[in-house]
Amino acid sequence: MSDVPAGAARLRHCFASAHASGRAALITYHTFGYPTAAVSLECALAAARAGADIIELGVPFSDPSADGPVIVAAMEQALAAGASLHGALAGAAAIAKASPQTGIVLFGYYNPIWIMGPSVFASACRDARVDAVLVVDVPLEELDEISRPLAAHGVGSVPLLAPTSGLDRAAMVASRNAAFTYYISMAGVTGAAAVPVSPARIADLRAATNGPVAVGFGIKTPSDVAALAPHADGVVVGSRLVAEIGAGDPATAAARTGALVTALAAATRRT
């Protein structure tokens, strides 16, 4: 455990605490800056108060490849309103200060990080108390380019595996002391229809990666969460929350987020 970056250790503690309470960890995704920076942070904090164990704060990007129409539209609106990587880091720091028990993952694409510089970015993540970073478009073979500077500053990284990933590829994760592995449940983009996930597949990935496995993409409803909770270490809900934020008055977005997360959190319990 001594080689595990401090941020990754904090996230693993989130998973362990959820497991000890008889449930899967709930991870909620929020596009920073949508519909405004202030409202997106209010919604993230509402999610934390309602039972989210880990907050994924999405960094808006102009050319996302893994996100579906709901999150793409949110990113476009956020960028038009001035959202940036620097802003998202400041947002993460605000969440960490207001909700110190909540794990924080910065979720995004590599281009803005490359422009900032990986070492500068890693230092900024440490200062903002980002626990780990998930970079969608960096493959495992190239992950050291960002995971090493992050680890040097005590920040973890989150590798991705897909239904098409073999166990030999999953074994590449085992030596990385990752915060957790994000298992993409489908060959598609965020917000698509949920597909069944084999419990045996999750168990195989957990054994091969030697760490927690969280399942995301297509998870929208409490029943989706309940189906995965007995098997996965964590469950990620993203597009459904972003859609809820955009479904009404921004002034009440945090209240709507809190109500939805309360229902999702109740579904994480393993009965």
Side-chain angles (χ1 to χ4, degrees):
M1 198 73 172
S2 59
D3 293 328
V4 177
R10 283 194 294 270
L11 291 177
R12 290 192 179 189
H13 178 72
C14 291
F15 286 101
S17 295
H19 179 75
S21 300
R23 59 185 179 82
L26 178 63
I27 304 171
T28 60
Y29 169 93
H30 308 263
T31 300
F32 171 73
Y34 176 72
T36 67
V39 172
S40 66
L41 296 181
E42 288 172 3
C43 291
L45 288 172
R49 289 192 297 270
D53 299 281
I54 297 171
I55 297 294
E56 278 187 357
L57 194 61
V59 180
F61 182 55
S62 59
D63 191 22
S65 57
D67 290 294
V70 171
I71 292 179
V72 169
M75 286 182 170
E76 290 174 347
Q77 183 169 334
L79 288 169
S84 66
L85 176 56
H86 288 281
L89 285 163
I95 295 169
K97 182 177 181 181
S99 186
Q101 79 284 357
T102 304
I104 300 174
V105 174
L106 207 65
F107 181 112
Y109 295 83
Y110 189 63
N111 184 271
I113 297 171
W114 180 78
I115 292 172
M116 180 180 284
S119 293
V120 174
F121 170 72
S123 175
C125 285
R126 177 202 59 202
D127 293 346
R129 212 228 75 190
V130 169
D131 294 316
V133 175
L134 190 161
V135 187
V136 177
D137 51 353
V138 175
L140 281 174
E141 290 80 357
E142 307 296 332
L143 194 59
D144 283 349
E145 184 169 343
I146 183 62
S147 65
R148 284 181 176 172
L150 286 171
H153 289 85
V155 181
S157 55
V158 180
L160 294 159
L161 292 173
T164 52
S165 302
L167 291 181
D168 56 338
R169 193 168 182 76
M172 294 171 63
V173 173
S175 62
R176 293 182 174 276
N177 289 324
F180 63 96
T181 297
Y182 189 123
Y183 178 58
I184 301 170
S185 67
M186 65 178 71
V189 296
T190 60
V195 298
V197 179
S198 163
R201 172 68 168 167
I202 298 172
D204 287 345
L205 292 176
R206 183 185 296 113
T209 60
N210 193 32
V213 175
V215 180
F217 280 44
I219 316 302
K220 297 178 180 177
T221 67
S223 60
D224 293 337
V225 172
L228 288 166
H231 313 293
D233 300 291
V235 182
V236 188
V237 180
S239 293
R240 177 66 184 86
L241 279 165
V242 175
E244 187 69 25
I245 290 168
D249 187 344
T252 58
R256 295 195 303 276
T257 298
L260 177 55
V261 173
T262 295
L264 295 168
T268 62
R269 188 155 297 283
R270 296 163 175 152
T271 57

